Amino acid sequence: MPLPEEKTYTIEDIYSLPEGTRAELIDGRIYYMAPTSRTHQEISMFLSKIIANYIDKKGENCKIYAAPFAVFLNKDDVNYVEPDISVICDLSKLDDKGCHGAPDWIIEIVSPGNPEHDYFTKLNKYKIAGVREYWIVDPGKKWITVYFFEDDIWGERYRFSDTVPANIYDDLTIDFRKLAL
C-alpha cells in the first residue's frame, strides 16, 4: 500500500491562516511559531537598536526589520519566513509585502521549543537562498553562532560575554556584555 502524500502548502495557505497566527513556510511545510518570551524580545530590541543606529550613523543604504516581517526567500510560492531580524541592503527587494529574495544579514533568536529549526532547517535554506551572514543567538546556551557564507565562516561561536563582529560591515561590533537580561 502506498504511503499517503503529504500536502504541499503555499504562501496562499499562510495568508489564509486565522488573524494573529504566526507561521513560516519552508519547502511547502508549515512551521507554527509560538509567542516569543520577554528574553527573546530583550535580545531582539538590543540588537535591532545597535544595528539601526549603526546604519543611520554610517549613512548605509540598508534597512532593518524585526519580526514579524515577511521574507520570500525564493521565487516560488512554497517558502516564506519571518526572521527575528533582517537587514536588507538591496532596497529593490522590498515592497509593501516584505522582502523578495535573500536579506544580507539574518539573525534568529532560538526558541526553546524548536532549536533544530534555526540550527539546521533555516541554516541550509538561508545559505542556498544567498543570505550573506546568519547569526543564531541562543539565550539558553548564552552563545551566538555566526555564519558568514561569503568567507566560508561556518559556525564561529561567541559567548554572551564577547564582542561579536558583524562581517557584512567593516567596523560594526556588538558587545553582548551590554545586553541586560
Side-chain angles (χ1 to χ4, degrees):
M1 174 197 262
L3 293 172
E5 280 188 38
E6 282 191 36
K7 177 175 173 38
T8 299
Y9 293 93
T10 66
I11 292 170
E12 186 176 318
D13 294 310
I14 291 289
Y15 281 107
S16 297
L17 292 172
E19 184 77 27
T21 303
R22 289 199 50 219
E24 294 180 309
L25 181 69
I26 298 178
D27 296 329
R29 181 172 176 204
I30 292 179
Y31 294 87
Y32 291 95
M33 299 162 62
T36 60
S37 67
R38 182 194 62 81
T39 299
H40 186 285
Q41 286 296 313
E42 291 277 347
I43 294 169
S44 179
M45 292 299 295
F46 169 77
L47 292 170
S48 294
K49 184 171 66 172
I50 290 169
I51 297 165
N53 287 343
Y54 174 86
I55 289 170
D56 288 346
K57 181 179 169 188
K58 289 293 192 172
E60 293 286 336
N61 194 30
C62 301
K63 298 281 186 180
I64 180 171
Y65 296 94
F69 177 73
V71 174
F72 306 92
L73 282 175
N74 306 325
K75 293 183 188 233
D76 60 29
D77 66 345
V78 294
N79 288 286
Y80 165 98
V81 293
E82 291 184 0
D84 290 311
I85 299 172
S86 301
V87 176
I88 298 105
C89 298
D90 179 353
L91 303 185
S92 71
K93 293 180 179 180
L94 298 172
D95 68 14
D96 280 344
K97 286 191 172 193
C99 177
H100 298 269
D104 293 86
W105 183 11
I106 287 179
I107 300 173
E108 293 284 7
I109 302 162
V110 174
S111 299
N114 195 5
E116 308 81 34
H117 194 55
D118 295 324
Y119 281 105
F120 301 107
T121 308
K122 287 184 176 181
L123 169 66
N124 291 320
K125 202 70 190 164
Y126 291 161
K127 180 184 184 334
I128 291 167
V131 171
R132 295 170 59 203
E133 184 161 0
Y134 175 42
W135 287 17
I136 303 171
V137 179
D138 193 324
K141 295 183 174 149
K142 295 193 179 330
W143 68 40
I144 305 96
T145 308
V146 174
Y147 298 88
F148 187 50
F149 301 122
E150 287 184 353
D151 285 350
D152 281 332
I153 295 173
W154 278 81
E156 194 166 323
R157 180 124 335 130
Y158 298 89
R159 310 273 324 140
F160 275 26
S161 57
D162 294 330
T163 298
V164 183
N167 295 286
I168 68 165
Y169 298 116
D170 292 333
D171 58 349
L172 173 61
T173 59
I174 298 176
D175 184 352
F176 273 80
R177 291 173 298 183
K178 293 182 179 176
L179 175 63
L181 294 178

